């Protein structure tokens, strides 16, 4: 991880210089959680499941994401015993109107679909704060077995019915879906400051263990309708001197960075930097990190600093590091 150079002409008091950390942004929404399981199990995830190789799923891609490395596999449950949900808990969310729950789903071994005998039904279930938002019977078996799920375009990543074994029990074939493209898991109404997402399998025929299991990779949560931070600057120009920098609307208790540049524009943070792909309202002329530190519990903060004369006429923008959300651009004048 690399740091952006500190500004030479903007000198806030008690300056803190450190590396930014990873985030990502897109128009109209902000990604607040991402797990590809390459670095282990994130602490926000509890419940059923363990990390395993993606096995034969490696390199299997949708238009949005690919299986690679490790996945979280849940093989809990047996006849007469409910499966244990895989649970994701996120706290201290900024203001928002809706969420997306996106993940690649590996449907492993002998899922039996809709009920035709005691071995079915086998359901995949997603709950958000205890409310079921997705329930579908899935199968990896051919007729007379069938499933009631008709995946929207782009969701199915393997043929239907499945034809290939992708690992684990060699006596069964497996399937994959990109539920990051499933409309029922996109823009789910939500405004609370925390969220609990549960993914589980169930049904009267669910057997679990080596007979039926499932896995997730590229698990993401996105927020819709977040309010961008608001930045104000009260400088002393043209000679420089005391400068007052205030902002509100950032992530409460989260880290923020002030970015300085001589000009405005549409600079995009390049690859191999934190927040790669984030578009700023600044140009590339002398663009650099001026300050990094924490916001208050309500997402606001005031800095009393000193600006050199070279800062006058330049521009500054706040980057909320929890979401990589950007504020308005302010000219120092």
């Amino acid at each position: 991880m690399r740091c952006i150079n500190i500004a030479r002409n903007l000198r806030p008091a008690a300056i803190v210089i450190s590396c930014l950390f990873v985030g990502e942004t897109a128009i109209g929404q902000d990604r607040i959680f991402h797990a590809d399981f390459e670095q282990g199990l994130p602490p926000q995830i509890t419940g059923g499941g363990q990390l395993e190789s993606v096995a034969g799923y490696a390199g299997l891609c949708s238009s949005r994401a690919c299986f690679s490395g490790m996945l979280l596999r849940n093989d809990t449950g047996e006849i007469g015993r409910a499966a244990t949900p895989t649970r994701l808990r996120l706290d201290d969310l900024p203001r928002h109107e809706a969420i997306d729950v996106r993940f690649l789903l590996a449907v492993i071994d002998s899922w039996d679909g809709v009920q035709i005998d005691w071995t079915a039904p086998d359901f995949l279930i997603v709950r958000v704060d205890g409310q079921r938002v997705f329930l579908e019977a899935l199968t990896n078996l051919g007729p007379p077995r069938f499933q009631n799920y008709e995946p929207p375009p782009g969701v199915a990543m393997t043929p239907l019915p499945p034809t290939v074994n992708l690992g684990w029990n060699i006596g069964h074939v497996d399937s994959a879906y990109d539920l990051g493209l499933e409309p029922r898991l996109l823009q789910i109404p939500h405004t609370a400051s925390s969220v609990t997402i549960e993914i589980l399998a169930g049904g009267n025929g669910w057997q679990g263990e080596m007979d039926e299991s499932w896995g997730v990779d590229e698990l993401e949560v996105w927020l819709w309708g977040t309010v961008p931070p608001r930045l104000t600057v009260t400088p002393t120009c043209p000679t420089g001197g005391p400068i007052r920098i205030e902002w509100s609307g950032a992530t409460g208790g989260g880290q923020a960075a002030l970015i300085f540049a001589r000009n405005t524009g549409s600079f995009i943070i390049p690859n191999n930097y934190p927040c790669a792909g984030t578009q700023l309202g600044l140009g590339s002329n002398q663009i650099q990190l001026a300050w990094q530190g924490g916001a208050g519990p309500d997402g606001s903060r005031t800095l009393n600093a000193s600006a050199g004369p070279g800062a006058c006429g330049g521009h500054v923008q706040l980057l909320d590091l929890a979401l990589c959300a950007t504020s308005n651009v302010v000219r120092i004048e």
Side-chain angles (χ1 to χ4, degrees):
M1 184 178 297
R2 293 186 285 174
C3 295
I4 302 173
N5 292 333
I6 184 169
R8 297 180 180 87
N9 294 310
L10 188 64
R11 302 190 297 276
I15 203 161
V16 177
I17 308 170
S18 60
C19 292
L20 312 183
F21 57 82
V22 174
E24 187 169 315
T25 188
I27 296 175
Q29 55 187 310
D30 295 297
R31 187 174 73 175
I32 59 165
F33 179 85
H34 172 233
D36 60 9
F37 307 110
E38 302 309 300
Q39 305 301 319
L41 187 66
Q44 299 93 331
I45 296 179
T46 59
Q50 63 282 330
L51 297 185
E52 300 183 16
S53 166
V54 298
Y57 284 87
L60 190 61
C61 297
S62 69
S63 62
R64 188 189 65 88
C66 298
F67 284 95
S68 65
M70 306 293 288
L71 56 67
L72 176 62
R73 178 174 173 242
N74 188 323
D75 60 355
T76 62
E78 59 184 26
I79 293 295
R81 180 171 63 88
T84 302
T86 294
R87 185 174 294 107
L88 170 62
R89 169 82 180 195
L90 300 174
D91 295 306
D92 301 320
L93 303 180
R95 289 174 293 173
H96 61 282
E97 298 174 354
I99 66 170
D100 292 354
V101 180
R102 309 182 188 181
F103 59 93
L104 300 180
L105 174 69
V107 180
I108 301 168
D109 294 333
S110 66
W111 286 57
D112 296 286
V114 175
Q115 185 169 8
I116 61 173
D117 59 24
W118 68 271
T119 64
D122 291 333
F123 294 116
L124 191 282
I125 305 162
V126 180
R127 297 193 293 238
V128 174
D129 289 339
Q131 300 297 310
R132 190 175 68 207
V133 295
F134 182 88
L135 181 148
E136 290 288 356
L138 303 174
T139 186
N140 284 333
L141 307 176
R145 306 286 179 180
F146 67 98
Q147 64 181 44
N148 58 7
Y149 182 45
E150 297 181 3
V155 171
M157 301 173 66
T158 50
L160 294 174
T163 60
V164 179
N165 175 269
L166 298 173
W168 294 280
N169 191 330
I170 62 173
H172 297 293
V173 294
D174 308 294
S175 56
Y177 300 87
D178 184 353
L179 292 187
L181 301 174
E182 165 55 55
R184 281 172 287 178
L185 298 179
L186 304 178
Q187 298 190 47
I188 303 165
H190 190 276
T191 59
S193 61
S194 64
V195 65
T196 300
I197 298 164
E198 295 176 300
I199 308 172
L200 64 153
N204 292 336
W206 180 254
Q207 299 170 70
E209 298 181 333
M210 286 300 296
D211 189 70
E212 297 162 339
S213 63
W214 56 272
V216 295
D217 198 3
E218 295 296 334
L219 175 60
E220 302 178 353
V221 179
W222 293 70
L223 298 185
W224 283 86
T226 53
V227 179
R230 183 68 184 173
L231 177 69
T232 60
V233 178
T234 307
T236 300
C237 285
T239 60
I243 181 171
R244 184 181 179 90
I245 303 172
E246 300 176 273
W247 68 85
S248 61
T251 301
Q255 291 279 299
L258 290 167
I259 311 297
F260 173 86
R262 296 303 308 171
N263 61 329
T264 59
S266 55
F267 182 83
I268 296 176
I269 297 177
N271 293 335
N272 301 319
Y273 279 89
C275 295
T278 300
Q279 181 172 306
L280 304 177
L282 302 171
S284 59
N285 186 2
Q286 298 182 28
I287 189 165
Q288 50 204 281
L289 174 66
W291 179 91
Q292 178 184 331
D298 62 352
S300 65
R301 182 159 179 174
T302 299
L303 296 176
N304 292 300
S306 175
C312 293
H315 300 79
V316 66
Q317 185 172 31
L318 185 82
L319 184 63
D320 180 341
L321 298 179
L323 297 174
C324 286
T326 56
S327 75
N328 53 305
V329 175
V330 177
R331 178 179 168 86
I332 301 172
E333 58 185 2

